[in-house]
Each structure stands twice: as C-alpha cells, then as structure tokens.
Amino acid sequence: MALKEINWLGVGIRFLVALLLVFATYNPDGYSYFHWAIKDFMNFSVLKAFVGVVLLIGWVIYLRATFRSLGLIGVSLAAAFFGTLLWLVVDWGLIPAGSVRTVTYLILIAASAVLATGMTWSHVRRRISGQMDVDEIDAG
C-alpha cells in the first residue's frame, strides 16, 4: 500500500530519481545511455539492450504517472511553468544563455522537474482538496 502523505523528502527523492533517469538517458557531457548505445552501434550488445529496457521501464513509469496525475493540460502547464521559470532566471542574468551545453542542462533539469511534479501531484492535490483519485479507492 502506498503512503498517503507526501513530504519534502518524498518530493526530493522523486526529483532525484527523475534527474537520474533523464541524465542517464542523455546528457551533454557524453556520459549517457544515448552516447554509449550509438558508440560502435554495429556491435550492439545484450548489456546495452538490457540497460535500454531498464531505462525504458523507468520512463514508462514516470510518464504514465505524470500523464495520469496531470493530464495533457497539466503536463503542458507544468512544462510552461518550468520553462518560463528558466527563461526568467536566464533573463535576469543568473545563468548564461550563450552556451548550448548550459541551455541543454537547463532543459534536462526542467524535464526532470515536470516528471517529478507528475509523480507528486496526486499527493499534493489530495492534501489541498481532500479528494481521492479514482484509482486509489479501495474496492474491498
């Protein structure tokens, strides 16, 4: 049975796992599944396939939970929120926008934040409104 309450530690763990998933899949430093899989692609190994399946499972879990929790409009709003937040930080000069690498990192962090929001939103909505999700109601 899942925990009914969420706290900052739970939010942080969800965000860290989302960061791990996103950055393990791709990052601009070249230490990612994407770079490893395309390197010597003609000799694709079973280990690369296995790691790819593990990452795919992680993506399916996070994306399914995010879309079930937020819906298309909510995902769009979350992406707009984090995208404009990053734009604001760049506009204020807190982070330089001249580097493609830096901008790529910001986009990957924003994507992780959207996924973490989706994984957390049902708990937040329940705490704010007191309403349960339909799939949380015990049929027994």
Side-chain angles (χ1 to χ4, degrees):
M1 185 168 137
L3 293 174
K4 298 293 183 189
E5 297 294 323
I6 189 73
N7 56 29
W8 285 110
L9 178 62
V11 174
I13 290 171
R14 285 169 174 82
F15 181 64
L16 287 175
V17 172
L19 279 173
L20 179 67
L21 178 65
V22 169
F23 279 87
T25 303
Y26 178 82
N27 64 68
D29 288 330
Y31 299 105
S32 68
Y33 178 76
F34 172 79
H35 293 94
W36 179 49
I38 65 168
K39 181 181 177 185
D40 196 20
F41 185 73
M42 290 302 173
N43 293 321
F44 197 80
S45 69
V46 68
L47 178 60
K48 288 181 183 180
F50 177 76
V51 172
V53 169
V54 169
L55 286 172
L56 182 61
I57 290 168
W59 277 102
V60 167
I61 289 168
Y62 261 80
L63 288 172
R64 181 173 159 92
T66 297
F67 275 96
R68 285 188 68 158
S69 178
L70 298 175
L72 182 60
I73 293 173
V75 170
S76 300
L77 288 172
F81 173 82
F82 289 111
T84 56
L85 176 64
L86 292 177
W87 184 11
L88 184 63
V89 169
V90 169
D91 190 54
W92 285 348
L94 300 174
I95 297 175
S99 166
V100 172
R101 184 172 176 253
T102 302
V103 171
T104 302
Y105 268 109
L106 293 174
I107 291 169
L108 294 174
I109 291 168
S112 300
V114 170
L115 292 174
T117 301
M119 290 293 284
T120 307
W121 189 249
S122 287
H123 297 283
V124 172
R125 182 178 56 234
R126 181 176 40 252
R127 184 172 276 179
I128 291 170
S129 69
Q131 295 178 351
M132 299 285 285
D133 287 336
V134 173
D135 58 346
E136 294 173 350
I137 297 172
D138 186 19

